[in-house]
């Protein structure tokens, strides 16, 4: 943890302020800043009473809870512990017999443009039937099920079906490699894998099942008893007799009714892996009650969803955003949502805008990286500019995953939002379960590039390294002082790492987000300045530098040593830059190019294509202090192409800097 460089920086002067329209304020649930302030005051006055009331209002309990928060074993907080509920019943069953029952739950658009719709009632039948199929495989409450699926209705069904029977799902993004998948299967101790023969992305048929087979053949996966395979495309895939079943086989004869199993509020709903600054990715464990409350509540607060909305979150179910704002939130809120299988640039970079026009999307939630790449495309080809599509149905825009630069914000506001849609720049993390700091569409005046203010009850603050509050205008470490219902409960199988990573002693028991932030002097608005640990954010995807380094040095025939740093990138936010020392002499020219390609392919195989370094530099050595510590700050400067201004007198081998600066 360090606040020395990027975290503490001066406040960017941003004078543009956009106030919500009067009509929007009037119509909103949290209407105007007075209404927001009143909620914050209520939370401050009676913290547990505030959460208890919300949990009663937003969650259907099979058994009511009697105690709201148990802090006796901090930081292992427990919320609503003796209450019982089922997350799937809260997303589906509760709508039966209401006007939502026959409403479209999901408008699915496939990569090739084909559209499928399911109502809430039909979705309940699908989930129930799949839940019965899981039970028929011997899967029980508490078992872990690994889901490695494309963006499809079936992916959401698989997650909901696990929740329905009290099995804990662990979704792995379809872009991760066999090795990454195997690591997660072993760590989580999954009993089954739910996958698909192939996935369709950008007109290409990409394998999933064969990657599962490869992962399972690597060893350590003996816990897996069954593999259920969705036939996404007509192409056949290899099936292992006795272990693998197609969905068709598994669902045959299964009833479309399956009672939802009530579970304790603290029962783990899912475990989702994310990168940290050290070691292997960590399994972030979320609890059913608090998480479900948050998914539902933030749909109401942040997106102010109304019955007529068509909600579209573009995130994959493999990430937390796809959990909270595809698989759970919209269903719990009873809102129609779009699920999109494809990519924003296929068949052309106007695809998102055409989808909004076609399905009359009213709330659109995406990542700054997507916006930046679509700006670039629209600027070079008028045919894919958002102005070519009728976007008048939109009323709220959202941004998530990384800081949105003010220029991209302004473009999004003008060209997508028609200068009328508020942008909710939502700051949150896998660990927080849902939104933490975000504007509210009918209340908060917007400032481009700022996620503005914490949600009511969220005690976000900026402190120094000893946990002392920093004044507005001065940067520091972003913390949350008090627990909140949807917070991470532990790291699966590693409670010590949980404590160390998120509740370091010097921070007085505050939750450490891992980001630097600064509050504006005038409004106290938060602006996130980026990670303060060794975690990179590339296109909104979290990646640990150590993880990539370990992947590189595991190529033992070639690599002696590697150091990975991030550098700013206009399109992807950050880009991965790897400095590599080979076991043989330092390559140059075409040879260096060929080896760099080999190393990139290797990282893709070890982790996934998203972890491929953009730049690879070769050196005879790495810049180290006399005590042997790699000077990463110097590497960051070299990666950025900056002149070295730091003191290099403690370097053991200063000449190495020129060499590492050379591009081949
Ligand atoms: O650095 C912050 C950045 O993304 C990190 C969390 O990544 P992940 O767990 O993968 O979750 C992404 C989706 C919620 C944070 O520590 N981040 C996320 N949202 C924002 C952001 N940085 C700035 N502004 C945001 N709105």
């Amino acid at each position: 943890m360090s606040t020395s460089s990027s975290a503490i920086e001066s406040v960017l002067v941003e004078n543009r302020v956009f106030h919500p329209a009067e009509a929007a304020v009037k119509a909103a649930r949290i209407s105007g800043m007075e209404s927001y302030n009143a909620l914050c005051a209520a939370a401050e006055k009676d913290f547990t009473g505030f959460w208890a009331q919300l949990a009663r209002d937003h969650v259907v309990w099979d058994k009511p809870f009697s105690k709201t928060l148990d802090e006796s074993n901090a930081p292992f907080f427990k919320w609503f512990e003796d209450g019982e509920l089922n997350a799937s019943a809260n997303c589906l069953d509760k709508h039966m017999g209401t006007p939502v029952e026959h409403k479209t739950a999901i408008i699915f658009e496939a990569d090739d443009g084909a559209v499928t719709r399911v109502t809430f009632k039909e979705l309940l039948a699908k989930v129930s039937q799949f839940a019965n199929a899981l039970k028929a495989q011997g899967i029980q409450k508490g078992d872990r099920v690994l889901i490695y699926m494309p963006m499809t209705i079936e992916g959401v069904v698989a997650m909901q079906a696990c929740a329905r029977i009290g099995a804990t799902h662990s979704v792995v993004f379809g872009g991760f490699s066999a090795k990454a998948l195997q690591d997660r299967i072993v760590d989580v101790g999954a009993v089954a894998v739910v996958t698909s023969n192939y996935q369709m992305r950008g007109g290409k048929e990409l394998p999933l099942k064969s990657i599962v087979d490869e992962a399972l053949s690597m060893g350590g996966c003996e816990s897996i008893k069954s593999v259920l395979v969705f036939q996404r495309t007509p192409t056949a895939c290899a099936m292992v007799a006795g272990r693998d079943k197609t969905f068709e086989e598994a669902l045959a004869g299964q009833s479309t009714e399956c009672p939802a199993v009530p579970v304790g509020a603290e029962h783990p709903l899912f475990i989702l892996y994310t990168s940290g600054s050290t070691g292997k990715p960590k399994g972030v464990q979320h609890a059913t009650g608090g998480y479900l409350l948050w998914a539902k509540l933030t749909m109401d607060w942040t997106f102010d969803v109304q019955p007529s909305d068509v909600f579209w979150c573009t995130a994959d179910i493999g990430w937390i955003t796809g959990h909270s704002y595809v698989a759970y939130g919209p269903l719990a809120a009873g809102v129609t949502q779009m699920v999109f299988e494809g990519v924003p640039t296929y068949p052309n970079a106007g695809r998102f805008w055409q989808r909004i026009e076609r399905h009359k999307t009213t709330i659109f939630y995406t990542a700054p990286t997507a916006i930046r790449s679509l700006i670039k495309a629209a600027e070079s080809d008028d045919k894919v500019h958002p102005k070519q599509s009728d976007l008048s149905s939109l009323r709220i825009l959202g941004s998530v995953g990384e800081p949105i630069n003010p220029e991209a914000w302004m473009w999004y506001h003008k060209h997508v939002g028609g200068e009328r849609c508020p942008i909710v720049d939502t700051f949150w993390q896998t660990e927080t379960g849902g939104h933490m700091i975000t504007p509210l569409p009918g209340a908060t005046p917007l400032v481009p590039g700022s996620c503005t203010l914490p949600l009511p009850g969220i005690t976000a603050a900026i402190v120094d390294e000893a946990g002392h509050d920093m004044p507005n205008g001065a940067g520091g470490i972003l913390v949350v002082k008090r627990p909140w219902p949807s917070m991470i409960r532990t790291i699966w199988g590693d409670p010590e790492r949980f404590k160390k990573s998120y509740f370091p002693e010097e921070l007085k028991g505050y939750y450490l987000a891992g980001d630097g932030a600064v509050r504006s002097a005038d409004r106290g608005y938060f602006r996130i300045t980026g990670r303060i640990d060794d975690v990179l954010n590339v296109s909104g995807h979290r990646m640990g530098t150590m993880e990539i380094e370990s992947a590189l040095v595991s190529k033992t025939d070639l690599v002696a040593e590697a150091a990975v740093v991030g550098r700013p990138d206009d399109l992807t936010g950050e880009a991965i830059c790897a400095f590599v020392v080979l076991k043989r002499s330092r390559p140059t020219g075409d040879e260096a190019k060929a080896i760099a390609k080999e190393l990139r392919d290797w990282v893709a195989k070890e982790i996934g294509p998203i972890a491929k370094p953009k730049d690879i530099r070769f050196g005879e050595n790495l810049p180290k202090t006399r005590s042997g510590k790699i000077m990463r700050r110097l590497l960051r400067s070299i990666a950025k192409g900056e002149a070295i201004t730091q003191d290099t007198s403690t370097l053991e081998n200063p000449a190495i800097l020129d060499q590492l600066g050379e591009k081949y």
Side-chain angles (χ1 to χ4, degrees):
M1 183 169 74
S2 143
T3 53
S4 54
S5 55
S6 65
I8 297 186
E9 40 179 67
S10 59
V11 189
L12 230 193
V13 180
E14 175 56 79
N15 294 321
R16 291 168 290 198
V17 182
F18 298 82
H19 293 272
E22 221 173 280
V25 173
K26 270 205 186 120
R29 272 187 194 83
I30 302 183
S31 167
M33 286 308 277
E34 313 72 49
S35 175
Y36 165 78
N37 289 330
L39 280 169
C40 295
E44 207 173 313
K45 191 162 163 237
D46 176 11
F47 189 70
T48 52
F50 175 78
W51 292 119
Q53 192 54 49
L54 288 167
R56 287 189 196 106
D57 292 348
H58 289 269
V59 176
V60 179
W61 296 92
D62 291 296
K63 179 177 165 239
F65 56 90
S66 63
K67 187 167 186 206
T68 305
L69 170 63
D70 178 357
E71 301 185 83
S72 60
N73 189 26
F76 299 94
F77 300 101
K78 288 178 179 158
W79 286 90
F80 322 117
E81 196 190 359
D82 61 348
E84 288 183 9
L85 76 158
N86 181 280
S88 166
N90 266 276
C91 292
L92 299 168
D93 307 54
K94 87 164 180 209
H95 301 305
M96 298 305 113
T98 78
V100 176
E101 176 174 342
H102 298 293
K103 182 174 170 175
T104 300
I106 297 179
I107 305 170
F108 170 69
E109 182 165 318
D111 190 54
D112 66 1
V115 172
T116 313
R117 289 185 165 77
V118 287
T119 65
F120 278 87
K121 188 171 184 178
E122 289 161 349
L123 191 62
L124 171 60
K126 276 178 183 289
V127 168
S128 299
Q129 195 181 26
F130 200 79
N132 284 326
L134 293 176
K135 284 202 283 191
Q137 305 306 310
I139 297 165
Q140 296 175 353
K141 179 177 167 187
D143 284 342
R144 273 84 57 212
V145 174
L146 193 125
I147 299 176
Y148 189 60
M149 286 284 278
M151 275 303 278
T152 45
I153 294 175
E154 288 70 17
V156 175
V157 166
M159 295 166 78
Q160 284 279 337
C162 288
R164 197 160 188 86
I165 62 169
T168 300
H169 58 69
S170 188
V171 185
V172 175
F173 173 59
F176 278 116
S177 69
K179 180 76 183 66
L181 187 58
Q182 183 238 10
D183 280 347
R184 286 156 176 77
I185 290 171
V186 172
D187 192 78
V188 88
V191 299
V193 178
V194 179
T195 188
S196 177
N197 63 340
Y198 286 88
Q199 58 177 334
M200 293 301 302
R201 282 175 76 80
K204 289 197 200 97
E205 188 181 44
L206 305 169
L208 283 178
K209 170 62 164 58
S210 63
I211 297 173
V212 172
D213 290 340
E214 196 186 333
L216 296 183
S217 71
M218 285 175 177
C221 300
E222 293 71 26
S223 57
I224 297 291
K225 300 290 176 273
S226 50
V227 177
L228 301 182
V229 186
F230 174 53
Q231 191 78 24
R232 170 64 192 92
T233 67
T235 316
C237 64
M239 298 289 277
V240 176
R243 188 196 71 184
D244 303 353
K245 276 199 178 74
T246 62
F247 269 31
E248 219 181 330
E249 289 162 349
L251 292 169
Q254 296 297 344
S255 160
T256 53
E257 282 176 29
C258 172
V261 176
V263 299
E266 283 296 311
H267 182 72
L269 178 63
F270 64 85
I271 294 158
L272 182 60
Y273 284 82
T274 190
S275 295
S277 45
T278 55
K280 283 192 183 288
K282 39 196 182 186
V284 173
Q285 181 179 320
H286 277 287
T288 307
Y291 175 81
L292 208 270
L293 166 63
W294 209 244
K296 164 70 170 64
L297 187 62
T298 48
M299 288 298 294
D300 283 2
W301 277 357
T302 312
F303 296 118
D304 196 33
V305 284
Q306 304 296 334
S308 57
D309 273 321
V310 177
F311 180 82
W312 183 16
C313 164
T314 65
D316 192 282
I317 52 167
W319 310 113
I320 190 68
T321 312
H323 280 56
S324 307
Y325 302 107
V326 178
Y328 290 102
L331 296 176
V335 69
T336 297
Q337 71 167 318
M338 291 162 61
V339 170
F340 176 53
E341 180 181 38
V343 297
T345 48
Y346 175 82
N348 59 57
R351 182 89 190 244
F352 273 4
W353 323 132
Q354 293 144 16
R355 290 322 82 220
I356 292 170
E357 174 176 327
R358 185 178 186 191
H359 302 293
K360 308 227 169 342
T361 312
T362 59
I363 303 174
F364 178 63
Y365 189 34
T366 197
T369 292
I371 299 165
R372 285 192 297 265
S373 75
L374 297 178
I375 294 175
K376 202 170 158 207
E379 281 176 351
S380 60
D381 178 3
D382 213 38
K383 288 201 287 299
V384 299
H385 196 281
K387 71 182 175 205
Q388 308 295 355
S389 300
D390 176 3
L391 305 182
S392 58
S393 57
L394 287 171
R395 65 179 196 91
I396 294 172
L397 301 176
S399 172
V400 57
E402 48 183 322
I404 179 164
N405 45 310
E407 306 74 55
W409 194 102
M410 290 302 294
W411 189 91
Y412 196 31
H413 185 251
K414 180 167 179 204
H415 297 288
V416 183
E419 292 179 339
R420 90 187 165 271
C421 304
I423 297 177
V424 289
D425 174 2
T426 61
F427 168 84
W428 59 294
Q429 310 175 293
T430 304
E431 294 86 344
T432 69
H435 304 153
M436 297 295 277
I437 309 180
T438 175
L440 302 173
T444 322
L446 306 171
V447 170
S450 166
C451 52
T452 71
L453 296 167
L455 287 174
I458 297 298
T459 52
I462 298 178
V463 299
D464 66 13
E465 285 178 348
H468 302 119
D469 284 302
M470 297 298 286
N472 287 358
I477 298 168
L478 179 64
V479 296
V480 186
K481 292 186 170 176
R482 298 208 63 184
W484 66 101
S486 64
M487 67 193 298
I488 173 176
R489 293 305 193 262
T490 188
I491 292 175
W492 178 257
D494 201 346
E496 272 314 304
R497 188 174 175 201
F498 165 75
K499 273 210 273 196
K500 258 206 213 130
S501 310
Y502 301 110
F503 295 92
E505 267 166 31
E506 62 277 18
L507 288 185
K508 305 179 176 174
Y510 299 162
Y511 167 82
L512 172 70
D515 283 287
V518 57
R519 299 185 76 158
S520 64
D522 51 354
R523 294 172 183 269
Y525 275 11
F526 286 74
R527 188 168 64 84
I528 308 298
T529 51
R531 299 287 307 192
I532 52 171
D533 52 12
D534 290 317
V535 170
L536 305 181
N537 192 326
V538 182
S539 301
H541 301 320
R542 233 167 109 165
M543 225 102 52
T545 51
M546 306 282 177
E547 224 179 311
I548 307 168
E549 286 168 12
S550 309
L552 284 166
V553 297
S554 73
K555 182 128 188 66
T556 47
D557 58 328
L558 204 57
V559 178
E561 211 177 359
V564 169
V565 298
R567 67 161 168 77
D569 184 279
D570 284 347
L571 217 54
T572 57
E574 267 185 303
I576 303 168
C577 191
F579 295 88
V580 176
V581 182
L582 296 181
K583 284 189 172 162
R584 29 147 300 171
S585 60
R586 175 175 178 263
T588 52
D590 284 348
E591 196 190 1
K593 247 188 220 165
I595 296 178
K597 179 174 183 315
E598 193 180 341
L599 292 178
R600 275 194 197 99
D601 292 345
W602 174 263
V603 172
K605 208 167 140 286
E606 286 292 293
I607 305 174
I610 51 173
K612 277 186 184 183
K614 187 160 182 179
D615 295 348
I616 295 187
R617 308 278 177 87
F618 297 102
E620 277 156 15
N621 211 328
L622 295 175
K624 289 183 188 154
T625 60
R626 279 175 229 280
S627 60
K629 210 168 159 267
I630 296 173
M631 295 186 73
R632 284 169 191 277
R633 251 188 311 139
L634 285 179
L635 290 178
R636 279 188 209 109
S637 298
I638 297 173
K640 278 194 215 168
E642 283 175 355
I644 306 282
T645 50
Q646 293 102 324
D647 176 16
T648 54
S649 60
T650 56
L651 263 187
E652 192 192 15
N653 47 358
I656 211 72
L657 298 180
D658 292 336
Q659 207 178 58
L660 291 169
E662 269 174 37
K663 290 189 180 158
Y664 48 82

